[in-house]
Amino acid sequence: MKRVYTEEYAVPFANILTEMSAGYDTTFNDILSEENSIPSNISAENLMGKSIQLTIDAELQKSIYDYLGEKNIVGSVVVLRTDGSIMSQVSYPSYDPNTVKDQKYDEELAWGEFGNKAFQNYEPGSCFKIMSEVLCDKHGIYQQVDEGEWDFGGMPIVNWDHETNKTGYPTTRSLYSGFINSSNIFFAKSFGQIGTEDVLNDLNEIFHFGKDNDIVCDFGSIENNVEIYCDDDLFRTAFGQSYVLTCPIFLAALGREAGFGEMVTPFVVKNIIDSYDGKTKIGEGSKPCDVIASIPENCRQNLLDGMLGVASELGVYLPEQYTFYAKTGTAETWVDDFLYITGCIRNSEDSPTNVYSDYSNYHDKGSYSIVMQIQNPSELGYGYAYESASHYKDIVDIVFEQKRD
């Protein structure tokens, strides 16, 4: 099998497709190498095997990739439709698969500089508080004293603004205030009250998030990690640090769950098609709207209210039929600080059970979960995720400008 790369799409797709990056060519090797019945006008040496029709919008993929390159943003962007289909999965930088054999790149494409950052695990920072907020609501925790810096006998836990807002502490916070102000102390204390066993059980049951609770997708398994060995781990887990690891694709699924109350399995295979004409469907794609986790009904509205409050400060403006929910996150990783914005843009015409035979009219009725990850914030002059909101706005504008299948 030999892949032919269209020049303008080769680089934007390379690190999610090619086997050199442990991409789809590797994942779908069994399908791609399975032979079709050979038409009489096709010689055996030209046999290419079955083909996969992806849910990814090529034009959107290229547009977002070009934008990240223009702004020198090292990181990733994931755009997920309501049914779980991945509309775009951009990782910057990528590489030219047509020249990789010229030794321009090293052998660590899968996890090196050119690896697929959308599928790599790192600490999510305060985007994890989407889950923490629901756990607090479930266990009836709606108020905490917030000192700005909490010394519990270990390494103190601080809020992001504890130095610049000293006159604002101590204060008594509501759950809503703790969420929109992204208080580490509020959620750390709350997890201490909930306890390790219930925290781990709830993360598994409500969000399919756990060390041994992989989400099996058609492109590979999302392997989230959370480990708690002591109180310090428990407290820091509440704001997405310590032994908490996940990837932007999971955060997109989490954004979808926040917006609609249910998490569905992300997927990229739309159909299996005949390689010889590129149109004839010869096999089914992945199952859309595959629900794998749910937020309790009585905990959904408070989360939406909090995410609406965060979104209102980010400067993203949409047509009136859309509502924007969001959470920002600044994560300390072993590489550098990473910035995240996880958002759900919900269309009032949309339903969480909508299944599309194609995506040609998706923009009229569909919703989006969009995650932006920035891995080089200091180079760009950003210290916190909210400072990168203009880039998130630009990406949202690109999604809406495309209006493609």
Side-chain angles (χ1 to χ4, degrees):
M1 181 179 68
K2 178 182 179 182
R3 176 179 291 283
V4 178
Y5 298 93
T6 305
E7 184 175 353
E8 63 180 318
Y9 301 109
V11 175
F13 275 92
N15 51 8
I16 68 169
L17 287 184
T18 74
E19 60 183 354
M20 292 175 285
S21 297
Y24 296 164
D25 280 351
T26 300
T27 303
F28 301 127
N29 181 64
D30 290 346
I31 297 174
L32 294 171
S33 61
E34 185 177 341
E35 297 181 358
N36 298 348
S37 297
I38 306 175
S40 58
N41 63 331
I42 301 291
S43 61
E45 59 265 25
N46 291 326
L47 183 66
M48 296 291 288
K50 293 182 178 179
S51 294
I52 293 174
Q53 183 181 30
L54 299 178
T55 64
I56 294 177
D57 182 326
E59 295 299 330
L60 180 62
Q61 180 84 2
K62 182 178 183 301
S63 294
I64 295 177
Y65 184 88
D66 289 346
Y67 176 83
L68 296 186
E70 175 190 339
K71 300 299 182 180
N72 190 34
I73 296 173
V74 175
S76 62
V77 172
V78 177
V79 183
L80 191 75
R81 300 184 186 91
T82 304
D83 64 358
S85 61
I86 294 180
M87 187 176 184
S88 183
Q89 182 189 160
V90 177
S91 177
Y92 185 89
S94 184
Y95 60 92
D96 187 345
N98 295 308
T99 62
V100 71
K101 293 182 180 179
D102 297 336
Q103 298 181 355
K104 292 180 63 176
Y105 307 101
D106 60 34
E107 296 179 354
E108 298 182 356
L109 288 172
W111 286 96
E113 179 184 1
F114 304 104
N116 181 9
K117 297 171 177 62
F119 198 35
Q120 294 173 354
N121 277 5
Y122 288 98
E123 295 86 346
S126 289
C127 286
F128 190 92
K129 291 172 184 170
I130 293 172
M131 296 185 279
S132 301
E133 194 278 348
V134 173
L135 268 60
C136 290
D137 200 353
K138 179 189 173 187
H139 291 274
I141 301 173
Y142 300 107
Q143 185 173 292
Q144 295 286 4
V145 174
D146 186 348
E147 301 91 340
E149 181 175 3
W150 179 41
D151 188 348
F152 55 91
M155 288 290 292
I157 289 174
V158 299
N159 289 340
W160 65 275
D161 65 345
H162 78 287
E163 286 291 338
T164 58
N165 186 34
K166 289 185 177 181
T167 59
Y169 294 109
T171 187
T172 300
R173 290 197 187 279
S174 64
L175 176 57
Y176 177 80
S177 172
F179 187 82
I180 66 169
N181 290 288
S182 206
S183 167
N184 291 342
I185 293 172
F186 183 99
F187 292 104
K189 288 184 174 182
S190 297
F191 268 35
Q193 291 176 230
I194 296 170
T196 297
E197 183 177 355
D198 283 342
V199 163
L200 293 177
N201 287 340
D202 288 346
L203 290 175
N204 268 282
E205 293 176 7
I206 300 175
F207 297 104
H208 213 295
F209 192 100
K211 183 179 179 182
D212 300 311
N213 197 14
D214 298 351
I215 299 175
V216 181
C217 307
D218 57 13
F219 51 82
S221 293
I222 297 174
E223 300 175 353
N224 298 312
N225 187 77
V226 54
E227 300 173 53
I228 299 174
Y229 300 106
C230 62
D231 284 346
D232 187 80
D233 294 340
L234 175 61
F235 300 152
R236 295 179 195 278
T237 293
F239 48 94
Q241 295 290 164
S242 194
Y243 297 102
V244 177
L245 299 173
T246 191
C247 66
I249 297 176
F250 173 81
L251 292 179
L254 179 62
R256 193 274 189 198
E257 183 176 12
F260 289 93
E262 295 176 332
M263 179 178 288
V264 297
T265 304
F267 68 95
V268 295
V269 178
K270 184 177 179 182
N271 291 306
I272 310 299
I273 58 175
D274 190 318
S275 297
Y276 303 113
D277 64 16
K279 297 178 182 179
T280 303
K281 178 180 173 181
I282 58 177
E284 295 296 328
S286 296
K287 180 183 177 183
C289 300
D290 177 27
V291 177
I292 56 174
S294 298
I295 297 173
E297 289 277 357
N298 63 330
C299 298
R300 296 180 182 182
Q301 191 58 52
N302 281 340
L303 175 62
L304 289 176
D305 291 344
M307 294 184 71
L308 190 64
V310 173
S312 67
E313 301 296 322
L314 297 182
V316 176
Y317 303 101
L318 300 162
E320 62 180 8
Q321 73 267 32
Y322 294 94
T323 304
F324 178 42
Y325 305 98
K327 184 68 187 80
T328 57
T330 303
E332 297 178 3
T333 79
W334 66 85
V335 179
D336 198 350
D337 286 356
F338 286 4
L339 309 183
Y340 297 88
I341 297 179
T342 297
C344 179
I345 298 172
R346 182 165 177 171
N347 190 328
S348 61
E349 298 294 317
D350 197 8
S351 165
T353 58
N354 280 351
V355 175
Y356 296 83
S357 57
D358 63 64
Y359 296 112
S360 58
N361 66 339
Y362 185 81
H363 184 76
D364 296 330
K365 296 183 178 180
S367 304
Y368 306 92
S369 178
I370 303 176
V371 173
M372 179 182 74
Q373 175 205 56
I374 297 179
Q375 295 192 2
N376 62 332
S378 57
E379 186 178 345
L380 302 174
Y382 303 135
Y384 298 104
Y386 74 88
E387 296 173 343
S388 67
S390 63
H391 295 304
Y392 190 87
K393 176 184 180 299
D394 289 344
I395 288 167
V396 170
D397 289 344
I398 291 171
V399 172
F400 275 74
E401 285 167 5
Q402 291 294 322
K403 298 184 181 180
R404 290 180 174 270
D405 53 333

